[in-house]
């Protein structure tokens, strides 16, 4: 037996149209928010307008920082830290996938820190305090919306490093599956592969007698194997559980 402590303080808000609750949830954390996102996709889908309308209706002032790339860059994290300090931002709202969320977490721990934020990723400092982070998720993949970790790439040498700490765990995560319907097939496939990779990391261990967690991992993997082709072929289709799952009739 191995001792462990499990904690997940992230509030999950799941379902259709839940992005309309962004302003209400953000306002509980602060009245000036850094809206952090990638680029054109959330504008093209209309999500940007809906999120901004929700924030304004809740009385939250918006400061923007776009430009997050896959494998988020340290330079943008540093820019976000500068903006947050200058504008006295109180909360960071990440609208996007794992890269946007990881970048937002890096900014969040960097703002109150007197040194260089890269210290956290090089294990020269421990993350114990940060600005609060909220999430509107658009890509199902790594689970960054509820994790206590962040991965950032330093362009000077292209070193990809991670930082961790309970303070990095988002305060809330809004998850509307409809926001994934417009994803390009490649992004949907990458998300499915990412989920499977992370589950396998927990499955293929040398820890004995973990039958319950093994079954959870196997069920997750089987579901992705069945659901991913459906999501790729017909986005928005609801998969029904097979009769063999033993559902009550």
């Amino acid at each position: 037996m191995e001792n462990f402590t499990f904690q997940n303080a992230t509030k999950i808000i799941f379902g259709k149209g839940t992005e309309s609750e962004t302003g209400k949830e953000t306002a509980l954390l602060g009245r000036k928010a850094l809206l952090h996102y990638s680029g054109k996709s959330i504008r093209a889908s209309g999500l940007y307008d809906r999120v901004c309308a929700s924030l304004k209706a809740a009385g939250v002032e918006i400061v923007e920082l776009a430009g997050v790339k896959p494998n988020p860059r340290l330079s943008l994290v540093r820019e976000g830290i500068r903006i947050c300090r200058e504008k006295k931002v109180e909360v960071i709202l990440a609208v996007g996938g794992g890269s946007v969320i990881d970048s937002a977490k890096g900014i969040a721990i960097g703002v109150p820190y007197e040194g260089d934020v890269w210290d956290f990723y090089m294990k020269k400092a421990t993350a114990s305090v940060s600005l609060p982070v909220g999430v509107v998720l658009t890509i199902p993949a790594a689970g960054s919306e509820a994790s206590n970790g962040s991965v950032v790439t330093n362009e000077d040498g292209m070193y990809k490093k991670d930082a961790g700490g309970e303070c990095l765990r988002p305060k809330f995560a809004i998850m509307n599956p409809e926001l994934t319907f417009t994803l390009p097939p490649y992004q949907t496939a990458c998300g499915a592969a990412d989920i499977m990779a992370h589950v396998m990391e927990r499955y293929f261990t040398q820890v004995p007698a973990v039958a319950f967690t093994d079954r959870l991992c196997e069920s997750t993997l089987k579901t992705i194997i069945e659901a991913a082709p459906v999501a790729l072929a017909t986005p928005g289709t609801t998969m029904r559980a097979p009769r063999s799952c033993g559902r009550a009739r």
Side-chain angles (χ1 to χ4, degrees):
M1 180 178 69
E2 292 194 1
N3 295 0
F4 66 88
T5 299
F6 175 79
Q7 178 179 341
N8 186 352
T10 302
K11 180 180 181 180
I12 303 296
I13 304 166
F14 181 89
K16 183 177 181 179
T18 46
E19 65 271 21
S20 65
E21 299 185 36
T22 303
K24 179 185 72 175
E25 295 297 327
T26 303
L28 296 175
L29 304 173
R31 289 292 174 175
K32 182 178 284 189
L34 180 73
L35 178 58
H36 199 37
Y37 58 99
S38 178
K40 298 178 181 179
S41 60
I42 69 167
R43 290 180 179 272
S45 68
L47 178 59
Y48 172 88
D49 291 333
R50 297 196 298 277
V51 167
C52 286
S54 180
L55 290 170
K56 291 175 181 177
V60 177
E61 184 179 345
I62 302 169
V63 178
E64 293 191 30
L65 179 60
V68 180
K69 299 178 180 178
N71 300 310
R73 304 301 195 264
L74 177 63
S75 60
L76 191 66
V77 170
R78 287 172 171 157
E79 174 67 5
I81 293 168
R82 183 192 67 78
I83 291 172
C84 286
R85 289 173 175 170
E86 180 182 300
K87 301 292 185 179
K88 295 181 170 54
V89 166
E90 299 173 341
V91 54
I92 300 174
L93 180 65
V95 181
S99 292
V100 174
I101 300 167
D102 280 0
S103 183
K105 291 176 180 177
I107 295 170
I109 56 173
V111 171
Y113 181 59
E114 294 183 357
D116 182 13
V117 67
W118 188 242
D119 290 347
F120 293 110
Y121 296 88
M122 293 299 292
K123 314 305 181 189
K124 295 179 181 179
T126 301
S128 59
V129 61
S130 73
L131 292 185
V133 175
V135 173
V136 179
L137 187 68
T138 61
I139 303 174
S144 300
E145 68 277 2
S147 79
N148 63 351
S150 166
V151 178
V152 166
T153 298
N154 188 339
E155 299 97 319
D156 184 10
M158 296 307 289
Y159 293 111
K160 186 175 180 180
K161 299 288 185 178
D162 70 289
E166 281 304 309
C167 66
L168 276 75
R169 204 181 292 278
K171 300 300 183 184
F172 70 86
I174 290 174
M175 303 166 68
N176 175 3
E178 291 183 327
L179 301 180
T180 70
F181 293 173
T182 57
L183 285 174
Y186 177 77
Q187 291 295 336
T188 299
C190 285
D194 205 354
I195 294 169
M196 294 184 72
H198 283 283
V199 174
M200 288 179 188
E201 287 173 353
R202 277 73 182 173
Y203 185 68
F204 292 108
T205 70
Q206 296 185 25
V207 180
V210 286
F212 178 66
T213 52
D214 279 352
R215 300 299 86 78
L216 291 175
C217 289
E218 290 164 6
S219 178
T220 301
L221 292 168
K222 289 177 68 176
T223 300
I224 295 299
I225 290 168
E226 294 172 1
V230 177
L232 287 168
T234 53
T237 298
T238 300
M239 260 192 59
R240 296 188 179 276
R243 292 292 183 182
S244 60
C245 288
R247 294 184 302 156
R249 300 182 183 180

